[in-house]
Amino acid sequence: ETGVTQSPTHLIKTRGQQVTLRCSSQSGHNTVSWYQQALGQGPQFIFQYYREEENGRGNFPPRFSGLQFPNYSSELNVNALELDDSALYLCASSLGQGATGELFFGEGSRLTVL
Amino acid sequence: GENVEQHPSTLSVQEGDSAVIKCTYSDSASNYFPWYKQELGKRPQLIIDIRSNVGEKKDQRIAVTLNKTAKHFSLHITETQPEDSAVYFCADMSSYKLIFGSGTRLLVRP
């Protein structure tokens, strides 16, 4: 059990809608990273939060945004949903900024956009 | 830019045989190389990792080798079992993010 929890586990939205995904990091971990995994592909880095600030961002448009809270939990928000946003969204927590340690993944939130 | 290439995309072996998956990376600053196993509908799980100051690491039936000069690293699974069937991802970490390969679907035939 990694201790990283995500919600919701599954959800269905329609194009143009907005979605918020949530993640609780493993106890003691202060860094949260979000990844998008499309079907049949490897996870793609969206962004990372460290001490409530965005620490780095992958090649995703601004309609992908996030937050980290004082308890290190995090949210991923996606506005103006597109069909290609359908994917498994994975949250991973770790200890330290730019850590070269293990990332602990949650079970993910599977988003379907119709 | 940063890129990790992984081969093969699919691999079928007989139970008891060995399986080898290979990855190459492009960022010479990469210093951490984990391997993840992902079963259908599940999260990626770390199975072994290696850091840039080590050339080889072994954990029971699983081993990873790293050649920093050639920017290659490989996963070796010996005495494969049906429960090893899954998708395996290599990754490298540069700065703050993991760059994943495209995955290898391993099938172990009983």
Side-chain angles (χ1 to χ4, degrees), chain B residues 28-102:
Chain B
S28 57
S30 298
N31 53 14
Y32 175 64
F33 306 90
W35 285 87
Y36 286 86
K37 175 183 180 182
Q38 189 175 31
E39 298 176 349
L40 190 62
K42 300 291 186 180
R43 62 184 170 85
Q45 288 190 291
L46 180 74
I47 55 172
I48 196 167
D49 57 14
I50 192 167
R51 299 181 190 280
S52 58
N53 58 345
V54 176
E56 184 174 357
K57 182 177 178 180
K58 188 174 182 180
D59 182 3
Q60 300 183 338
R61 297 187 297 109
I62 296 174
V64 57
T65 58
L66 171 65
N67 182 332
K68 283 216 76 179
T69 302
K71 297 183 184 175
H72 290 170
F73 58 115
S74 300
L75 177 71
H76 304 253
I77 305 175
T78 59
E79 301 173 30
T80 53
Q81 302 167 3
E83 52 265 38
D84 294 331
S85 296
V87 179
Y88 291 80
F89 292 98
C90 63
D92 81 325
M93 180 170 280
S94 176
S95 299
Y96 49 81
K97 59 185 177 184
L98 280 179
I99 306 297
F100 284 83
S102 54

Side-chain angles (χ1 to χ4, degrees), chain A residues 29-78:
Chain A
H29 284 184
N30 55 13
T31 304
V32 172
S33 303
W34 286 91
Y35 289 80
Q36 180 196 66
Q37 186 176 23
L39 195 63
Q41 298 182 22
Q44 300 290 317
F45 176 76
I46 303 175
F47 42 55
Q48 181 184 87
Y49 279 83
Y50 172 70
R51 292 185 176 178
E52 303 178 55
E53 292 193 1
E54 187 179 289
N55 183 43
R57 190 178 184 91
N59 189 27
F60 282 81
R63 59 189 184 84
F64 285 77
S65 63
L67 286 172
Q68 186 179 33
F69 300 99
N71 66 355
Y72 304 132
S73 66
S74 178
E75 286 183 355
L76 165 66
N77 299 289
V78 187

